[in-house]
Amino acid sequence: MKDQKLIIRKESSCFNNLKWRIFITQQIPHDQFISQLITLDYQEKIHPLYPKIIEMSHTEGHSIIFVPKTNRIQLKLNIDLEEHTRIEKASIIAQDIIEVFKTVKYQG
Amino acid sequence: MSENTSLPELVSGVNGILGLFLTAMPDCLLYDSWVNEDKSWSGEEVAIYFGDLIRSNREGLKALQAYSADMQVTIESTDVIVVLKEVRGDFVVGFVFDKSTPLGMIRLQVTKLLARILPTLPTIEVEKRTQGAKIMDYLDRYSPDSHAVINRLILQTGFSSEQLKNPDGFKQSEIEKLETAAKSILGVKELRL
Amino acid sequence: MRTISKQTDFIYMADTPVIYHCHHFNLFLDQTIDDALGVEAGTRLKVQVASTTAYQLLSNLVKASGAETVMERLELASTYFSGMGHGKLAITGNKEQGKAEGSYLHYGFTWSQKYGKRINRLNPADAFATGFSAAALEVAYDLEPGSLLATEHECIAQKVKNCHIDINKNPSQNNDYNIVTREDAEQSTSDAIEGQFEETVTNVAKGLTDFTAAVGGDEERGIVEAFGVYVTMHLSGYYNGISYQALNQCKDNPAILQALGELLKESGHVCVFNTFGGMLISAEWEGLVGKPTGDPNDLIAYLTAIGRALGFGKWCIKEFVAGEKFVLETSSTYENAYCNKYYKNQSHPSEYFVQGAALAFMVLIHKLDWTQPIDLTPELYDSLFKGGLGWKVEQTKGLSTNDEVTQVIVTKA
């Protein structure tokens, strides 16, 4: 499987390092996104804009939003996380996600 | 060393240095600066806050009865190490190093650079600024929503926009009113100008 | 209980006029009222208006839901308070006194998030929750509005853990029950109009409206995080009541009145930059509409659609020429719904929010590079809105001055 080039960047928001954008260059199939995140203990939540937006929440309280149309992945950390730990936590979660997407069969 | 040695020449060969700022006190005005070309820092902005940091540090140490004229402030962050040193009472020199630079090396470099910078510093005659001007500058620096400050002050003081834009003309009773409004905006009991 | 008027695009919660606003706007407006009147008088006005408008909402909710007992009514009040994104409020008491304990109260919590590291707060921030608490007990016990008076004693914005509100008998019974009903709001408008790019505006507004129907305070904290801001469904009567009563109290001092008007207009900049801008760069927008390309014609349509979807009125693009001119017209504004009833026949148009919003549209469209990542920081706001804006706005017609429409024109400065 090809290695993913991952970039993580803080999203524009007022929430003190709570929201992050994870960049994965390959287009991720909708169903693969869900099934892969389930292997990481995420559960699907029905987002009001489903299926245009897929939302998966983790037992630790953070969640991922995925926009299939544009391949945008947004990580929202648990608000109870202490501020000084958020950058590191975001990096760890992003790393977990990239590892699991290495196993995905991509289109094209 | 020649008094005309420029900052770029001074820092040439100094490992890990990212920025050098000379701030003239007491008004925290940028006198000179050098910034690594990879950085987009604003010298004027940095000068203001470095000057204020030294001032606050001085007051803090006095409160601890630990004040010494020869003090140095070292700040470590994720990416940089900042060292601030007050020299002669009328300048603050700020050094910014890459975080990976060993602290011992930084202290050594700072001592050497200070020895070279000190003779180059001019004697500054401080222009007396009015209290009104100082308060307006302070608000511009520290108030949240600084875009709204003038209108907020108009509401709280009744002064006109022209008066607030020309604060040198305020009488003492008006200064007190301005100061009360500034303290209210900043949520403080005292302004440290 | 949420309904939307097809004629006006006004939103109602149990027939009580409501709109959506973010914490930036909410804090800025409350602060402006305190600046204009002084903290004591400002707080008194905000609490009184909050109590009045909350009484209207809660009475309507009780009627609609059939809640009969005190417990049911207090539970209803707490549930809707949280559902509307205002935080958690637990109210207890009897006909003469009570208390409310608040956590994550919108104003106090977001103040501490936005400003808490930079400055200290000298006074409590939750005037709205305070007035709401009093109204909740009044409605629970079928008391007259204004029978009780609440005071916030501790606030998270002052670095305590939670907020504490005391409620007692109102020593000076205030009989001013200035509310705007659904009928009042609908009658304050004229015949609906259409504008340029109407299909895009309508479709996008519909999509957003459908989305916001499902948005509510989270179970744990009762706050709504969306589009990078904290959003509330709020009472338009609260915004209008505090703004126009403050203007009225300042009317004898032209300089103060002008500064107040400027800040009310600026509240439009604050809202558009943070909420509208936040929406355009959000993941939700990307899913719903797609990533903005920077095409000015698309952007003006999107921004206008957002205004409609948030309940500000049926805003239309009368004319738009990129780089030159924007004429916003509307047959309904949430501001005029109040002016029409309580400040009729104004000498000059005074729908300040829509003035500021229209100006901010042009700034956002022309000064931001939408093809690059945008970070809506306070520094970016200052760079766009502090000093010369490059654009100017004039309100040439107003529903508040008995014109057929409200019209604001933005041109290059």
Side-chain angles (χ1 to χ4, degrees), chain A:
Chain A
M1 286 298 134
K2 287 180 188 169
D3 274 345
Q4 293 298 301
K5 187 181 169 189
L6 172 72
I7 300 168
I8 183 168
R9 197 185 75 214
K10 200 170 69 156
E11 287 270 39
S12 173
S13 88
C14 306
F15 305 139
N16 299 333
N17 291 338
L18 277 178
K19 282 193 177 177
W20 296 83
R21 193 185 300 208
I22 302 171
F23 294 88
I24 293 182
T25 48
Q26 296 273 26
Q27 187 68 33
I28 305 169
H30 175 146
D31 54 344
Q32 297 267 16
F33 182 84
I34 295 171
S35 61
Q36 291 303 317
L37 285 194
I38 285 171
T39 67
L40 289 177
D41 291 333
Y42 286 84
Q43 268 185 316
E44 200 178 352
K45 267 173 89 163
I46 302 301
H47 192 276
L49 290 173
Y50 181 85
K52 291 179 180 175
I53 290 190
I54 313 291
E55 186 172 0
M56 309 282 292
S57 63
H58 195 273
T59 47
E60 281 181 13
H62 54 267
S63 59
I64 298 281
I65 277 179
F66 174 55
V67 184
K69 189 159 127 186
T70 56
N71 214 41
R72 178 169 172 174
I73 303 174
Q74 184 181 87
L75 161 64
K76 193 177 128 188
L77 294 173
N78 187 336
I79 197 174
D80 294 326
L81 264 181
E82 286 187 35
E83 245 183 86
H84 68 276
T85 66
R86 287 175 187 174
I87 296 173
E88 194 185 344
K89 185 69 178 174
S91 304
I92 292 170
I93 294 169
Q95 197 55 48
D96 288 346
I97 289 173
I98 193 183
E99 284 303 315
V100 89
F101 281 134
K102 279 181 184 172
T103 66
V104 169
K105 286 186 170 52
Y106 288 97
Q107 294 161 1

Side-chain angles (χ1 to χ4, degrees), chain C residues 203-261:
Chain C
N203 290 342
V204 171
K206 168 113 188 20
L208 278 174
T209 302
D210 291 344
F211 171 58
T212 54
V215 166
D218 64 13
E219 229 173 278
E220 206 194 312
R221 298 168 301 156
I223 58 179
V224 178
E225 287 172 29
F227 316 117
V229 293
Y230 294 103
V231 179
T232 53
M233 175 193 270
H234 213 318
L235 303 175
S236 22
Y238 175 75
Y239 294 130
N240 287 326
I242 62 175
S243 302
Y244 288 104
Q245 287 188 52
L247 282 163
N248 190 52
Q249 288 184 38
C250 296
K251 67 180 187 289
D252 293 331
N253 187 328
I256 299 272
L257 191 64
Q258 185 180 4
L260 179 53

Side-chain angles (χ1 to χ4, degrees), chain B residues 144-169:
Chain B
D145 305 322
S146 60
H147 50 90
V149 154
I150 296 285
N151 279 320
R152 293 192 68 190
L153 287 172
I154 293 172
L155 289 185
Q156 290 197 28
T157 62
F159 297 148
S160 70
S161 145
E162 289 67 37
Q163 280 179 287
L164 290 164
K165 285 171 184 166
N166 297 290
D168 294 334

Side-chain angles (χ1 to χ4, degrees), chain C residues 20-90:
Chain C
Y20 291 94
H21 262 305
C22 71
H23 69 287
H24 295 284
F25 174 88
N26 289 338
L27 293 175
F28 192 82
L29 181 62
D30 261 28
Q31 170 185 281
T32 297
I33 302 303
D34 285 350
D35 285 341
L37 304 181
V39 172
E40 213 177 295
T43 302
R44 206 163 39 240
L45 175 66
K46 289 184 292 184
V47 170
Q48 188 260 313
V49 172
S51 183
T52 302
T53 50
Y55 190 100
Q56 177 193 11
L57 170 71
L58 294 172
S59 305
N60 287 348
L61 283 171
V62 161
K63 216 184 312 181
S65 66
E68 283 183 0
T69 68
V70 168
M71 283 290 289
E72 283 172 347
R73 291 179 178 190
L74 289 177
E75 181 64 34
L76 188 73
S78 293
T79 301
Y80 272 84
F81 187 82
S82 299
M84 289 162 71
H86 288 274
K88 290 284 196 184
L89 196 61

Side-chain angles (χ1 to χ4, degrees), chain B residues 14-86:
Chain B
V14 175
N15 282 330
I17 193 161
L18 299 175
L20 176 59
F21 303 89
L22 307 183
T23 303
M25 302 297 276
D27 291 327
C28 305
L29 298 173
L30 179 70
Y31 172 67
D32 199 358
S33 66
W34 170 86
V35 173
N36 183 292
E37 61 191 9
D38 290 337
K39 299 294 176 191
S40 58
W41 300 329
S42 155
E44 276 83 8
E45 235 179 87
V46 170
I48 289 172
Y49 292 114
F50 280 0
D52 280 342
L53 264 171
I54 280 285
R55 216 189 331 248
S56 298
N57 195 61
R58 196 194 301 137
E59 297 306 312
L61 287 175
K62 278 181 183 167
L64 289 170
Q65 287 151 358
Y67 176 69
S68 156
D70 182 28
M71 62 154 182
Q72 188 163 289
V73 176
T74 306
I75 303 164
E76 292 183 48
S77 79
T78 325
D79 304 314
V80 298
I81 296 175
V82 179
V83 176
L84 303 175
K85 181 91 177 164
E86 187 172 23

Side-chain angles (χ1 to χ4, degrees), chain C residues 335-352:
Chain C
E335 292 168 290
N336 184 57
Y338 189 88
C339 289
N340 190 58
K341 189 166 180 183
Y342 295 107
Y343 295 102
K344 245 181 151 50
N345 301 320
Q346 299 208 347
S347 57
H348 61 274
S350 62
E351 285 139 294
Y352 296 104

Side-chain angles (χ1 to χ4, degrees), chain B residues 95-122:
Chain B
F95 305 84
V96 184
F97 285 87
D98 186 86
K99 182 71 197 280
S100 61
T101 317
L103 268 176
M105 176 68 74
I106 288 175
R107 288 197 189 104
L108 187 62
Q109 303 279 25
V110 162
T111 307
K112 282 185 180 171
L113 283 167
L114 278 172
R116 297 174 74 192
I117 289 169
L118 206 53
T120 72
L121 296 177

